[in-house]
Amino acid sequence: MSNRIAVVPGSFDPPTLGHLDIIRRAAGLYDELHVLVVHNPDKEGMLPSALRLRLLEQSIEEAGIKGKVIVGVWTVGLLVDYAQQVGAGVLIKGIRSQLDVSYETPMAVVNNHLTGVETVFLLANPANSVVSSSLVRQVAGLGGDVSPYVPPAVVRYLEQSTPSDF
Ligand code: PNS
């Protein structure tokens, strides 16, 4: 496992500007960054995984994010299994508030016990501190404008979908 290879996991349902900011900054810190759409058993999804992956790929490309960024999907097994498979020694989590720290800390401890992988918390840009995929789903589902919170590729996708899809 290399500490120069990192994974940014998430539901990305849909990707937000907060996610993109974390991805951009993490891509600048590591030699290789895996952005991984992970099935979260605690959350009922809005978008199919393949669509989340496509929106992430488009958003990363359109944002001109530099560095070696690989986008993937992980639906079966532990997140740490993926990390081991690609030789990543680091997981990256974006932190907006104390709530995120409370949610992420047990997972970071367990993941470290499982394989020794380290978790690095990157503090979200304060401009993104209220941005979440669940908020975007709710606003979009009620017909509101989510363009301040999501990348253009997601805006385009949501515009050609009907609100009842979310
Ligand atoms: O965007 P989200 O929903 O906050 O992302 C949460 C996610 C997918 C990163 C989290 O649920 C996760 O790490 N899942 C991996 C499942 C796993 O390996 N669990 C056991 C150890 S914690």
Side-chain angles (χ1 to χ4, degrees):
M1 289 208 294
S2 166
N3 287 338
R4 302 301 316 145
I5 304 177
V7 181
V8 179
S11 299
F12 301 112
D13 187 27
T16 67
L17 292 179
H19 292 133
L20 266 197
D21 178 53
I22 297 294
I23 292 165
R24 183 196 303 280
R25 289 159 54 202
L29 290 171
Y30 294 90
D31 295 340
E32 183 176 310
L33 188 71
H34 293 256
V35 180
L36 193 66
V37 177
V38 181
H39 173 68
N40 185 343
D42 296 335
K43 294 182 182 171
E44 197 185 330
M46 169 179 86
L47 306 176
S49 302
L51 180 56
R52 301 180 203 185
L53 178 115
R54 182 157 59 80
L55 292 172
L56 266 175
E57 281 174 341
Q58 282 174 2
S59 301
I60 289 166
E61 192 187 327
E62 288 174 10
I65 290 175
K66 300 202 177 7
K68 187 173 180 190
V69 180
I70 297 151
V71 183
V73 177
W74 190 244
T75 48
V76 180
L78 295 165
L79 171 61
V80 294
D81 293 340
Y82 177 89
Q84 270 193 326
Q85 195 171 295
V86 298
V90 180
L91 305 176
I92 309 262
K93 298 293 183 84
I95 298 295
R96 292 161 298 188
S97 69
Q98 195 59 41
L99 277 178
D100 283 344
V101 176
S102 304
Y103 175 69
E104 296 293 347
T105 299
M107 290 196 282
V109 171
V110 169
N111 283 330
N112 182 260
H113 286 164
L114 285 167
T115 62
V117 72
E118 296 290 355
T119 296
V120 169
F121 288 168
L122 284 188
L123 294 185
N125 183 325
N128 296 321
S129 64
V130 299
V131 179
S132 68
S133 297
S134 58
L135 189 84
V136 167
R137 288 197 300 275
Q138 189 176 109
V139 174
L142 296 170
D145 174 22
V146 293
S147 59
Y149 314 120
V150 297
V154 177
V155 174
R156 292 197 303 273
Y157 169 77
L158 292 173
E159 277 172 358
Q160 47 93 37
S161 310
T162 52
S164 59
D165 290 344
F166 321 125

